[in-house]
Amino acid sequence: MTSDPLTSLPIRVIEHENSDEITIEWDETHPLSAELRLDEWTSDEWLKALGGALEEAIRLADEAESNGD
């Protein structure tokens, strides 16, 4: 798998021990970060984006499993 450094933006989700809180980190200088204006996203926008990404990852894993990959 290859990634395009101009479009792939690494995002790190940190789950805090003994808490329901998480921290989301990303490269604020990345062009995609600026284009998406990530520093202005609300908690709900982050939850929606992360939930959608998780659903897509599950779909791709299920698809790969059914194709015998």
Side-chain angles (χ1 to χ4, degrees):
M1 183 168 115
T2 62
S3 64
D4 181 348
L6 295 177
T7 58
S8 64
L9 171 66
I11 295 176
R12 188 173 136 190
V13 178
I14 303 164
E15 184 178 3
H16 300 281
E17 291 184 34
N18 302 321
S19 173
D20 291 336
E21 294 184 17
I22 62 169
T23 299
I24 302 170
E25 294 180 346
W26 65 92
D27 179 359
E28 294 177 356
T29 64
H30 192 285
L32 189 55
S33 174
E35 184 177 327
L36 294 174
R37 301 168 74 170
L38 295 180
D39 59 335
E40 297 177 13
W41 283 23
T42 65
S43 295
D44 287 339
E45 289 170 315
W46 276 108
L47 289 172
K48 183 178 178 183
L50 292 172
L54 181 58
E55 288 176 8
E56 180 67 6
I58 291 169
R59 185 191 66 77
L60 290 173
D62 288 345
E63 186 176 288
E65 186 176 310
S66 67
N67 290 333
D69 291 347

